[in-house]
Amino acid sequence: MTTHASRPTLYASRHAVSAGHHLAAAAGFAVLEAGGNAVDAGCCAGIALAVLHPDEVNFAGVAPIMIRSAAGAVTTIDGLGHWPSGLPADLFEREHGGTMPEGVLRTVVPAAPDAWIGALRDFGTMSFAELAAPAIRFARDGVAVFEELARHLAARRDAYARWPSSAAIFLPGGRPPAVGERFVQADLAATLQHMTDEEASAAPGGRVAGLEAARAAFYEGDIAARIVAFHAEQGGYLTREDLASFRCRREPPVRVRWRDLEVVTAGPWCQGPVLAQALRTLEHAGFDRLRRDEADYVHLVLEVLKGAFADRERRYGDPRFVDVGLDELLSDAHVAARAGAIDPARAADPRAPGAPAAGPEPLARARDTSYVCVVDRWGNAFSAVPSDDSSTAPVVPGTGLVPSTRGSQSRPDPRHPSGVAPGKRPRLTPNPVMAVRDDGSLMVLGCPGGDMQVQAVLQVLLNVMHFGMDVQEAIEAPRFSTWSFPSSFAPYEHLRGRVAIEDRFGDELPAELQRRGHDVRRWPAFTRDAAAVEAILADASTGFLRAGADPRQPAYAIAI
């Protein structure tokens, strides 16, 4: 099957940024042009995404970050909060029937502000005020509602209407805003402005003192006081001490060899290592002679992913609380066993006998997550996956913030590897990725999409590094997915045998997958359900940067 991209890959020799909204990409690019580095630009774009994708990203949410210096050192910042220290581990089983209710009880400590400011403090060159300025402007003056935002706000109308503080922002005039209308977030603008004002007051002490003052405004000052007071009113457990004592964690990345690449993911506090395991299992299974549009290839990738996701389900969790055994999961013996268990003619975990072979998805999910990547003129690289839905818990009045609802990715049962515990991090879906070739080429990529994230990144990476596609062509190529594993999100449903595939594959492939036992559902072309990958490839052989962005959301790349 021939794939023709609707946009060109952007070639550049200086710097590039790709982000989930064109205004975020433009803001990051302006920072690069002003002399900022990849971290400055990435943080600027990431903070802007909290305004531009208010349904999918919250400034008080999560923001896992991966930074690679020009010298090759890689740092991961988890950008992920933990459960409040006073939360009873058995709360959800004892009082909520083993479910994770929407509202403030699913709140973990907001991590994104500390992640952005910590990255700027240690790896950036600019001030918080300089990099938050575009976000403040977008929030204060308003931005045009785009189609995907309008659709999501309309779909979650009843959810936003539950809380007056949320309805006031997301249902202005009592209804979801329409495409092209101006969407204003005045309280969020004021929150960000307060942080910049606090930074300015400490500026005589130097850049680092200013950044720490901006951070303290959120975690120790008036913003923290408002968050904690409101959550106490709502029956939440977040305290001033939880906020004041919080700092994001920096842990070694996971590195695996795949052919002539070193693939770098974050640790098993997120789902990142699923990508590493899937690549290694595919190599053991062998796929060199397969075409990307034929059933043998698609079936193999689906079955490999099922095995990796099964290991995620039974092993992954916060490594401070759980012995994940990642070395074993990535070992030759384990991936060989996983590869050897694949039946090339039959799907594992097939749909139940008599189950319908077609039909709609059972749940209309809340959407969350966006993405930004940057490579600068010096060779520094930045990858971040800011996130958090705004419809499953209330806005803190007067702040424009929904403190992180990522507790939805913990299991209510504390005995589960990703189960609830005071001070424990949920098992996160957002995961930054990089891949470094032996010749020095570097690919930075990622996407929103929950459990689809690893699947989409895997397919784009293979499209470029195995099938030889250019970046934009690889991004726009049709995608497929398995859902035959317990979801990462409450209520954690397991859709046995479920496969979704974009319509552009035609009819023959879905029919053959169905014959092999997969429960195939058809996605429309370029659906956002198939995730939205942004990527930059720094090609050492030519010296050019190649950047692309996914038309499945209003994402754009800018490069020069």
Side-chain angles (χ1 to χ4, degrees):
M1 179 175 71
T2 302
T3 301
H4 298 288
S6 64
R7 307 173 182 173
T9 295
L10 303 183
Y11 281 70
S13 55
R14 189 169 175 82
H15 42 230
V17 56
S18 186
H21 191 284
H22 70 279
L23 290 177
F29 185 75
V31 168
L32 293 171
E33 288 287 275
N37 66 18
V39 177
D40 297 318
C43 289
C44 177
I47 294 168
L49 287 169
V51 176
L52 300 166
H53 282 300
D55 54 330
E56 299 183 323
V57 181
N58 200 276
F59 180 71
V62 301
I65 296 169
M66 182 178 291
I67 297 167
R68 185 178 189 270
S69 73
V74 176
T75 299
T76 64
I77 301 173
D78 66 353
L80 170 61
H82 55 72
W83 283 100
S85 58
L87 184 90
D90 64 348
L91 173 70
F92 300 107
E93 292 211 309
R94 175 168 44 85
E95 297 187 11
H96 298 278
T99 66
M100 183 71 65
E102 295 191 348
V104 300
L105 288 181
R106 59 173 56 191
T107 300
V108 297
V109 178
D114 184 73
W116 301 128
I117 292 172
L120 289 174
R121 181 188 62 235
D122 297 340
F123 303 98
T125 67
M126 301 174 77
S127 70
F128 180 79
E130 289 173 296
L131 302 182
I136 293 171
R137 184 173 70 251
F138 298 149
R140 182 193 63 225
D141 299 343
V143 293
V145 174
F146 54 92
E147 185 176 354
E148 188 70 20
L149 174 59
R151 183 162 51 244
H152 183 244
L153 295 182
R156 298 291 292 172
R157 177 176 186 159
D158 291 345
Y160 287 115
R162 285 176 291 181
W163 298 292
S165 57
S166 298
I169 297 171
F170 296 100
L171 304 176
R175 62 170 179 81
V179 174
E181 291 186 347
R182 187 178 297 274
F183 187 71
V184 176
Q185 300 169 78
D187 287 343
L188 179 56
T191 293
L192 294 171
Q193 185 62 55
H194 175 64
M195 293 175 69
T196 66
D197 292 343
E198 292 297 294
E199 179 186 48
S201 69
R207 191 180 78 94
V208 171
L211 289 169
E212 286 295 319
R215 183 198 171 279
F218 185 96
Y219 287 95
E220 301 173 41
D222 293 344
I223 300 169
R226 285 190 171 193
I227 291 172
V228 169
F230 179 69
H231 273 233
E233 292 173 9
Q234 297 289 314
Y237 286 85
L238 197 63
T239 67
R240 291 295 295 267
E241 176 58 26
D242 288 323
L243 290 168
S245 62
F246 178 76
R247 293 277 179 173
C248 289
R249 295 183 64 84
R250 301 186 184 186
E251 297 173 354
V254 175
R255 303 172 184 265
V256 297
R257 291 292 305 179
W258 182 73
R259 299 185 175 178
D260 63 343
L261 293 174
E262 181 180 63
V263 179
V264 187
T265 76
W269 49 267
C270 72
Q271 66 173 332
V274 170
L275 174 67
Q277 183 176 338
L279 284 167
R280 298 210 67 227
T281 307
L282 274 171
E283 199 68 9
H284 273 264
F287 65 105
D288 280 350
R289 294 181 177 84
L290 303 181
R291 300 191 319 273
R292 66 166 305 278
D293 59 340
E294 68 175 315
D296 286 346
Y297 171 74
V298 175
H299 173 80
L300 176 62
V301 174
L302 292 171
E303 296 303 294
V304 163
L305 284 167
K306 286 181 188 178
F309 280 125
D311 288 331
R312 181 190 73 170
E313 172 65 16
R314 69 186 181 91
R315 301 285 286 272
Y316 283 27
D318 186 340
R320 294 180 302 152
F321 289 75
V322 177
D323 182 9
V324 178
L326 193 60
D327 288 344
E328 176 195 346
L329 295 178
L330 297 176
S331 68
D332 289 342
H334 184 74
V335 298
R338 281 289 187 196
I342 295 172
D343 184 342
R346 190 68 185 166
D349 195 22
R351 66 184 185 277
E361 291 297 316
L363 295 174
R365 289 198 175 281
R367 288 263 174 84
D368 57 20
T369 312
S370 194
Y371 180 71
V372 56
C373 56
V374 186
V375 177
D376 66 26
R377 71 192 77 171
W378 302 284
N380 303 300
F382 181 94
S383 177
V385 198
S387 186
D388 271 9
D389 164 65
S390 58
S391 68
T392 56
V395 170
V396 176
T399 68
L401 303 171
V402 179
S404 181
T405 59
R406 278 293 155 169
S408 65
Q409 296 201 305
S410 284
R411 295 302 174 87
D413 182 355
R415 296 165 295 184
H416 191 279
S418 59
V420 171
K424 185 179 180 182
R425 293 171 290 181
R427 188 195 74 203
L428 194 64
T429 45
N431 62 104
V433 178
M434 295 186 187
V436 185
R437 190 172 257 159
D438 289 344
D439 68 357
S441 297
L442 168 68
M443 190 169 186
V444 188
L445 72 166
C447 64
D451 291 317
M452 185 62 196
Q453 287 183 33
V454 166
Q455 303 190 62
V457 167
L458 174 66
Q459 291 172 62
V460 172
L461 189 63
L462 290 172
N463 287 346
V464 174
M465 298 300 182
H466 176 69
F467 292 107
M469 294 183 178
D470 208 348
V471 172
Q472 189 66 35
E473 180 189 16
I475 288 170
E476 295 193 25
R479 294 189 193 129
F480 52 86
S481 60
T482 175
W483 303 95
S484 194
F485 49 82
S487 169
S488 291
F489 297 87
Y492 321 107
E493 72 276 20
H494 184 167
L495 304 177
R496 294 186 182 277
R498 179 67 56 84
V499 165
I501 184 168
E502 284 192 282
D503 267 343
R504 289 180 293 148
F505 279 105
D507 296 328
E508 184 177 333
L509 175 60
E512 175 57 23
L513 293 175
Q514 194 81 26
R515 190 190 68 77
R516 298 187 193 195
H518 300 282
D519 178 13
V520 180
R521 309 298 170 98
R522 303 292 288 270
W523 272 336
F526 291 104
T527 176
R528 171 65 170 70
D529 291 335
V533 177
E534 281 73 67
I536 301 170
L537 174 61
D539 189 340
S541 66
T542 64
F544 285 118
L545 300 172
R546 292 190 261 160
D550 204 320
R552 294 173 179 87
Q553 70 173 1
Y556 281 84
I558 306 177
I560 190 169

